[in-house]
Amino acid sequence: MKGLGLCLASVIRTKLAEQMAYRSHFVLSVLLLIIGDLVVPFVTLLIYESGASFPGWTLHEALLVQAVFALAKGIAFPFFFGMVGTTLSQVREGTFDLLLLKPRPVMLMAMLTGFDPDDFGRLVSGSVLFGVALSGLSVTSGFAWLQFVLLFMSSIAILCAVSLFLSGMLFRWVGSSRVFDIFDAVTRFGMYPGTIYSKSVQNLLTYVLPVGLIAFVPATALLGRSGWATLWAIVPAAVILLLGGLFWNRMLKGYTSAGG
């Protein structure tokens, strides 16, 4: 663990030093991410201001779901999702081989190499939105907060697993440069309260494509709408993370340099 901490600290210092060399680009990138992440909440605000609403959800409750989603992305993207773009470029160029020579686990090096400080803009927008959502809610139960923290950790695990699946694909299919488009298209369903969908779609987004577990389930727990039974979501999150790791390592074994 000490070695992992030292590696992470070294990478963060190096990446931040790189960004400081181009401060205007860094600031602009962060601002654009913040603005982009606030588009959907702004549309939600317009919906409620027009007199419409998501059935059974107040404005602040709906914003809470979107805030949790943004917070999860704000943590997962800087630390995990950078490995997708890094793997794509390095496998194409044949430089991924250099990671195989490092005296550290290849998966760890891929994550560290892909660390991107720009994506912390998502964490900023998520934190602001989370504060706005909580300002209109009354959450005082320690039990609800405990559930939320545990389920939020599951959300991060799911996003980490997704990054492993997407980057693992690139060891064989280096032409899959649209993997982020696939991710965005699917996960957009998780930015809205799950109860607005039909029962079949809810089951699809919970048990097949666990998008609903990213934000809807943790937000529901924080609102006190569920009991201990909600913690069942931790199990599939752990299973998906395990499968993601196995898939990534299996695809790595088939890697033969420059795209296989």
Side-chain angles (χ1 to χ4, degrees), residues 28-231:
L28 182 60
S29 298
V30 172
L31 287 176
L32 289 176
L33 281 175
I34 292 174
I35 294 172
D37 283 347
L38 293 178
V39 169
V40 173
F42 180 69
V43 172
T44 301
L45 176 62
L46 292 179
I47 291 174
Y48 277 83
E49 288 293 327
S50 68
S53 65
F54 298 130
W57 291 78
T58 66
L59 171 61
H60 288 88
E61 289 174 343
L63 289 178
L64 180 64
V65 176
Q66 295 168 355
V68 173
F69 191 88
L71 280 175
K73 289 175 65 177
I75 295 175
F77 270 68
F79 293 102
F80 305 129
F81 270 82
M83 70 185 299
V84 180
T86 298
T87 301
L88 175 62
S89 61
Q90 291 187 345
V91 170
R92 281 181 170 178
E93 298 168 2
T95 56
F96 190 85
D97 302 46
L98 298 177
L99 296 186
L100 302 176
L101 302 177
K102 302 290 184 180
R104 297 287 180 182
V106 184
M107 184 186 297
L108 172 62
M109 293 308 303
M111 288 183 179
L112 293 178
T113 304
F115 175 78
D116 189 356
D118 288 0
D119 284 322
F120 279 121
R122 303 178 189 274
L123 186 59
V124 173
S125 58
S127 299
V128 171
L129 188 58
F130 192 72
V132 171
L134 288 181
S135 67
L137 300 171
S138 177
V139 183
T140 58
S141 171
F143 169 69
W145 278 105
L146 176 61
Q147 277 187 297
F148 171 75
V149 170
L150 293 174
L151 292 169
F152 185 72
M153 291 172 62
S154 299
S155 302
I156 303 300
I158 291 173
L159 290 174
C160 179
V162 172
S163 71
L164 292 174
F165 280 115
L166 294 181
S167 59
M169 289 170 50
L170 299 174
F171 288 124
R172 293 292 184 87
W173 300 291
V174 292
S176 305
S177 58
R178 295 296 182 180
V179 289
F180 273 119
D181 294 338
I182 298 172
F183 169 78
D184 284 334
V186 174
T187 54
R188 281 188 180 277
F189 289 99
M191 300 183 70
Y192 302 96
T195 53
I196 69 174
Y197 303 117
S198 65
K199 194 63 178 180
S200 58
V201 174
Q202 288 184 45
N203 291 333
L204 175 66
L205 297 178
T206 302
Y207 302 108
V208 181
L209 300 171
V211 176
L213 302 183
I214 298 176
F216 174 66
V217 173
T220 302
L222 187 57
L223 292 172
R225 296 188 176 186
S226 57
W228 283 108
T230 310
L231 296 180

